[in-house]
Amino acid sequence: MGTSPDERLLRALYAEHGGPLLGYALRLTGGDHQQAEDVVQETLLRAWRHPEALAKRPVRPWLFTVVRNLVVDAHRARVARGGRHLPIDDGQATLAALPGSDDIDRALESWTVAEALADLSPSHRAVIVETYYHGRSVADTAKVLGIPPGTVKSRTYYALRALKLALEERGLAP
C-alpha cells in the first residue's frame, strides 16, 4: 500500500518547514514545547485542509502567519475564559513584543531573499552584496573585488537575473 497524495503533502510540508515552524512556535509560546508542537500540528492540518491557500502564495510566510495567529488566538481565548494573564515566563512578554503581521512578512521575505542569495554563485553573490547592500559604485566594487569594471557590470546583470529566478522559485518575484 502506498501513501496518499494528502499524506505525501503533509510529510513534505513537515520535512521542509517543520523545524523552523517549531522554533518560531517555541519562541511565541515562551518555550512551551507541547503547546508549540500542537500549534505546528494545527498549522500543517490547516495547510492540508486549504491547499488552495498554498497555491496562491509563498508557502513559508503563510505557515508562519498561521502559527502566529494560532498562538495569539489561544492567548486571547485563555483571557476571554477568565484565565489570568500569563506571567512573563509563560510567554506574555513574547506575545506583547510580537511584531505586526507586516513586520513578520518583511522578516520572512528577508529570510527568503537571503536564502536566494545563498543559492547564487560566490562571484554573483559578491557583486550583488557590494553594489546593492553596501551601495558601492561599479568602480568601487571593481576595486574591492579586484576585477575590471566591465566584469562588475556583466556579473551584476547576470547575478540579478539569477536572483530573480531564485526569488520566483520561492514565490517572491512576479
Side-chain angles (χ1 to χ4, degrees):
M1 295 182 74
T3 59
S4 71
D6 290 343
E7 187 177 338
R8 285 193 298 270
L9 170 67
L10 278 175
R11 287 180 189 270
L13 284 173
Y14 185 79
E16 187 171 347
H17 305 288
L21 288 173
L22 182 61
Y24 182 58
L26 278 168
R27 285 191 299 281
L28 295 181
T29 60
D32 183 335
H33 205 275
Q34 184 60 50
Q35 184 183 5
E37 286 179 353
D38 290 345
V39 166
V40 171
Q41 183 177 11
E42 178 63 24
T43 298
L44 294 175
L45 184 61
R46 288 185 183 195
W48 173 71
R49 286 181 182 154
H50 302 285
E52 73 283 355
L54 303 177
K56 295 178 183 176
R57 61 182 60 101
V59 174
R60 188 168 282 196
W62 185 85
L63 292 170
F64 272 78
T65 300
V66 171
V67 166
R68 180 184 183 278
N69 291 343
L70 288 170
V71 171
V72 169
D73 290 348
H75 170 71
R76 288 180 181 156
R78 265 193 309 277
V79 171
R81 285 191 310 262
R84 61 182 173 76
H85 289 280
L86 298 173
I88 289 176
D89 63 341
D90 277 347
Q92 179 66 30
T94 303
L95 284 173
L98 279 178
S101 62
D102 288 344
D103 294 337
I104 290 173
D105 290 342
R106 265 194 303 274
L108 292 173
E109 285 177 5
S110 294
W111 291 336
T112 304
V113 170
E115 288 175 350
L117 274 171
D119 286 350
L120 298 180
S121 70
S123 60
H124 284 167
R125 186 172 43 252
V127 93
I128 294 274
V129 167
E130 294 301 324
T131 56
Y132 286 91
Y133 287 97
H134 293 157
R136 298 187 201 281
S137 67
V138 170
D140 289 342
T141 299
K143 287 178 189 171
V144 168
L145 297 178
I147 57 177
T151 303
V152 170
K153 290 179 184 178
S154 66
R155 279 189 191 168
T156 301
Y157 174 79
Y158 289 108
L160 287 174
R161 288 181 61 173
L163 182 60
K164 181 182 179 205
L165 180 63
L167 291 171
E168 285 173 350
E169 290 172 352
R170 290 168 172 78
L172 274 186

